[in-house]
Amino acid sequence: MPSAGGGRRGSRRMRRDRIDDETVVRLGLDATGTGREVRASGPEAADHEPVQVAVADLAPGPVDRARVVDWLLLNGFSYFVDSEGDVGGLWQGRLFYFLLFGEHEEIVQVRGQWNRDITIDRLEEVLELCNEWNAERIWPKAYTRVRDNGLVQVYTEVTVDLEFGANDDQLADVLQCGLSTASVFFDSLDDTYPDPLRSAP
């Protein structure tokens, strides 16, 4: 799949910043940064087991395709890798790609494509639907493309710049947001343009 932004994919990995002493104390980490037990205080303290907190689970790290695949596998999602190395999959019959852009692949984009094409005669009304969605909601960005054969395809994008990295929970939030918000928009298109083949004759 073609890359956006024209940037060449880099191979330099970003470093993890050292957590400052104040954060170490607040999170209950030891001086080595590997973590220590954190105990609850107050009357209910006896009912709580100590919790182990590790820096590796909290500190942001560089994002790469391996981490995207790990998230897909963790959630039991099927996926594929295309000839250009981009990761994609199908959700409710809709095609999604998980793309990395930027000089150091620090920009994460979840791009969805509606599983139906629209005749060019409906382009204006579909554009109006996309514009209304974009004006009222932050995610996803909705837009159209006209194919060479004159049919219209509808896409969504959730794009986040993770220049300073992300921990697992933060990356999961971005990926899940891309899937869930796009699915809501595509469902609204299904309601507006019911598939006649799904109805009984």
Side-chain angles (χ1 to χ4, degrees):
M1 174 165 279
S3 299
R8 184 179 181 273
R9 290 174 176 168
S11 58
R12 182 175 71 86
R13 294 177 65 85
M14 296 173 60
R15 66 179 176 84
R16 295 191 181 191
D17 292 331
R18 181 181 180 276
I19 293 181
D20 58 63
D21 293 338
E22 180 181 351
T23 303
V24 168
V25 173
R26 180 169 55 83
L27 296 178
L29 305 172
D30 62 20
T32 65
T34 57
R36 67 172 176 84
E37 291 182 348
V38 179
R39 295 182 178 274
S41 59
E44 299 84 8
D47 298 330
H48 293 273
E49 292 295 327
V51 177
Q52 186 74 18
V53 180
V55 173
D57 297 330
L58 302 170
V63 177
D64 55 27
R65 287 174 180 78
R67 292 186 64 189
V68 173
V69 169
D70 286 345
W71 179 80
L72 293 170
L73 292 175
L74 181 65
N75 287 277
F77 296 141
S78 298
Y79 71 94
F80 62 83
V81 179
D82 68 12
S83 59
E84 298 184 14
D86 293 322
V87 179
L90 293 174
W91 278 262
Q92 299 179 331
R94 300 149 181 168
L95 177 64
F96 284 85
Y97 269 94
F98 304 88
L99 305 170
L100 300 178
F101 298 131
E103 183 179 359
H104 306 297
E105 298 192 332
E106 72 279 11
I107 300 174
V108 177
Q109 182 183 98
V110 181
R111 181 185 301 171
Q113 179 182 336
W114 194 35
N115 57 323
R116 294 167 57 195
D117 295 335
I118 299 175
T119 175
I120 192 67
D121 298 327
R122 292 188 178 271
L123 176 59
E124 185 174 346
E125 61 188 77
V126 173
L127 281 175
E128 184 175 350
L129 290 174
C130 291
N131 290 336
E132 288 179 357
W133 178 278
N134 293 334
E136 297 174 359
R137 298 168 178 84
I138 300 175
W139 293 305
K141 179 181 78 174
Y143 62 96
T144 63
R145 287 180 178 172
V146 180
R147 299 174 56 183
D148 293 339
N149 61 5
L151 292 178
V152 179
Q153 294 179 317
V154 184
Y155 292 87
T156 60
E157 290 180 3
V158 168
T159 305
V160 179
D161 187 346
L162 298 177
E163 178 182 358
F164 299 104
N167 61 33
D168 289 345
D169 288 342
Q170 292 167 337
L171 179 59
D173 286 345
V174 172
L175 301 179
Q176 186 61 54
C177 174
L179 290 176
S180 60
T181 59
S183 295
V184 172
F185 175 68
F186 291 147
D187 286 345
S188 71
L189 289 181
D190 287 336
D191 293 338
T192 304
Y193 303 102
D195 186 348
L197 295 179
R198 292 180 178 269
S199 303

